[in-house]
Amino acid sequence: MVEPVYGLDADRVRANLVEAQERIAVAAALSGRGPEEVELLAAVKYVPLESIAVLAQAGVTLVGENRAQDLEAKAGAHPGLFTWDFIGHLQSRKVKQVLPWVRLIHSVSSDSVLEQLGRHKALAGPQLEVLIEVNVAGEASKSGVAPADLAAFAARCPVPVTGLMTMPPLAPRAEDNRRHFAALRELAEQHGLQRLSMGTSQDYEVAVEEGATIVRLGSTLYS
């Protein structure tokens, strides 16, 4: 079980942030892109409310939360300090709670969530976009739309769909997930979608090489 991250030091986080940005720049160059084409999102599921402001001191501007109630508490406590995305599994009953705070929801994958987006989208800012979570590996234990169902699902979404997200299987080596990242990129290209949220602390460089436009980093920033 992952423990909350206490005692964050702004200088240490800043140094880790710079190193991650440098690694992203190298990986982006390998895919023929500039570093400005990849957003670094700090995943704050395990960062307690009282430590969130340290991330701003370290230069973090984009953050993502997995839990609706924590998103509401953290964003509400620091209005305007960050740009917020929702990156966790989204329950339909939590859609209304999330919408006022975020620019992107990374994890839309059920018709019940689509229904709630349509019902409550007036609560969101005009910039709201969603990413559809795709189960590219076909794991029975994970949520996500099957690749074959993507077009029909996207057509039912009541807010703009601008990209895809995936959580590949746990793997001993980052390289093992390259094929899943490549599959998501190919899907996005087929459907004319620009954003690709893929890659975490364990495999973000491979994800960027395969076209990620947003990487979700946690432990690599806080350790």
Side-chain angles (χ1 to χ4, degrees):
M1 181 177 178
V2 179
E3 297 293 331
V5 181
Y6 294 109
L8 279 180
D9 176 78
D11 290 337
R12 185 176 66 185
V13 175
R14 185 180 299 109
N16 290 340
L17 180 65
V18 169
E19 181 179 354
Q21 289 169 332
E22 290 172 348
R23 290 176 179 269
I24 287 170
V26 171
L30 291 174
S31 65
R33 298 182 295 155
E36 72 282 354
E37 297 182 57
V38 183
E39 293 183 292
L40 191 162
L41 176 150
V44 298
K45 178 179 180 180
Y46 296 108
V47 178
L49 174 60
E50 58 268 27
S51 298
I52 286 290
V54 175
L55 301 185
Q57 296 167 22
V60 171
T61 58
L62 175 63
V63 296
E65 178 55 70
N66 290 64
R67 296 174 287 212
Q69 63 271 23
D70 290 346
L71 167 66
E72 188 174 46
K74 293 172 183 177
H78 299 287
L81 193 60
F82 303 104
T83 297
W84 286 88
D85 287 358
F86 187 80
I87 61 175
H89 176 68
L90 182 58
Q91 298 173 301
S92 58
R93 62 189 177 87
K94 298 290 187 178
V95 169
K96 185 177 180 180
Q97 191 173 3
V98 164
L99 286 178
W101 305 104
V102 298
R103 60 146 199 174
L104 283 180
I105 298 173
H106 290 225
S107 50
V108 172
S109 64
S110 71
D111 282 315
S112 60
V113 166
L114 296 187
E115 180 184 356
Q116 292 300 309
L117 284 171
R119 182 174 299 179
H120 299 296
K121 63 182 179 180
L123 295 173
Q127 82 288 346
L128 178 69
E129 300 171 1
V130 302
L131 310 182
I132 295 174
E133 182 176 0
V134 181
N135 190 346
V136 290
E139 292 182 277
S141 62
K142 284 190 178 175
S143 58
V145 175
D149 298 333
L150 176 58
F153 185 83
R156 296 196 297 273
C157 188
V159 297
V161 176
T162 57
L164 306 176
M165 183 272 268
T166 198
M167 287 289 293
L170 289 174
R173 302 182 310 134
E175 190 64 33
D176 294 337
N177 282 330
R178 184 180 295 275
R179 62 192 177 98
H180 301 302
F181 296 143
L184 195 73
R185 183 194 70 243
E186 291 166 6
L187 267 179
E189 291 171 351
Q190 291 168 14
H191 295 275
L193 300 172
Q194 303 302 312
R195 295 186 188 272
L196 282 174
S197 173
M198 58 187 195
T200 59
S201 292
Q202 292 72 35
D203 51 22
Y204 70 95
E205 291 167 272
V206 172
V208 172
E209 289 174 19
E210 291 299 332
T213 65
I214 307 172
V215 293
R216 311 179 302 269
L217 305 187
S219 59
T220 198
L221 296 179
Y222 311 139
S223 60

